[in-house]
Amino acid sequence: MNASETIAAYYAALRAGEPLGPFFPDDADRSVVKFGISEQLVGTDAIRAGLQEQTETTADWTVESHALRVTEREGYAWFSDDVTLCWTDTETGTRHAYDTRWSGTLVATDGARPWQFVGMHVSTADELGE
């Protein structure tokens, strides 16, 4: 599995409600970071806990990639993408929909998952009001 396939697998796991924590490596020094639309998670423990909570409180995900660009170099990869994200909050029944921008960095590993995210940033693509 290459970096592009890992990103596609992450999107598929998100759609399917599968665990997302294994896509991030263990880090004793809290160097792994994930920025979402409304949160900042630093360190693998925080990321895995946040993603677990997300999985437990959301459903019916739509994840549509529109412009995935990936570059791999000697054990590292970086990417950017424009992604349509929609999900339902299972506690309130509210449906959320956003045009988002994704970017991040992956590192090659010797583990069960040959590429893992060490940085991920997701933001909305909405224009700022004047």
Side-chain angles (χ1 to χ4, degrees):
M1 179 178 287
N2 62 32
S4 294
E5 292 166 336
T6 298
I7 296 163
Y10 183 89
Y11 292 169
L14 181 55
R15 281 185 214 101
E18 296 173 358
L20 300 172
F23 286 90
F24 295 85
D26 291 328
D27 69 331
D29 60 358
R30 296 175 26 112
S31 61
V32 177
V33 64
K34 179 187 177 294
F35 293 92
I37 292 174
S38 63
E39 82 279 339
Q40 174 184 340
L41 303 171
V42 178
T44 302
D45 291 344
I47 292 169
R48 290 181 178 168
L51 289 171
Q52 179 63 34
E53 180 181 348
Q54 173 185 292
T55 299
E56 292 171 355
T57 60
T58 61
D60 303 322
W61 280 83
T62 299
V63 183
E64 295 177 1
S65 171
H66 301 289
L68 181 61
R69 292 165 294 279
V70 181
T71 302
E72 287 185 31
R73 296 276 193 280
E74 300 179 21
Y76 294 93
W78 54 94
F79 77 99
S80 66
D81 200 357
D82 299 326
V83 179
T84 300
L85 280 183
C86 305
W87 70 89
T88 301
D89 181 319
T90 58
E91 295 173 345
T92 66
T94 304
R95 184 80 175 152
H96 298 271
Y98 296 96
D99 290 325
T100 61
R101 300 172 292 207
W102 293 49
S103 62
T105 307
L106 297 93
V107 63
T109 67
D110 295 330
R113 196 167 289 286
W115 287 92
Q116 291 183 302
F117 295 100
V118 292
M120 181 184 285
H121 186 241
V122 179
S123 62
T124 65
D126 297 329
E127 292 187 30
L128 296 176
E130 294 182 29

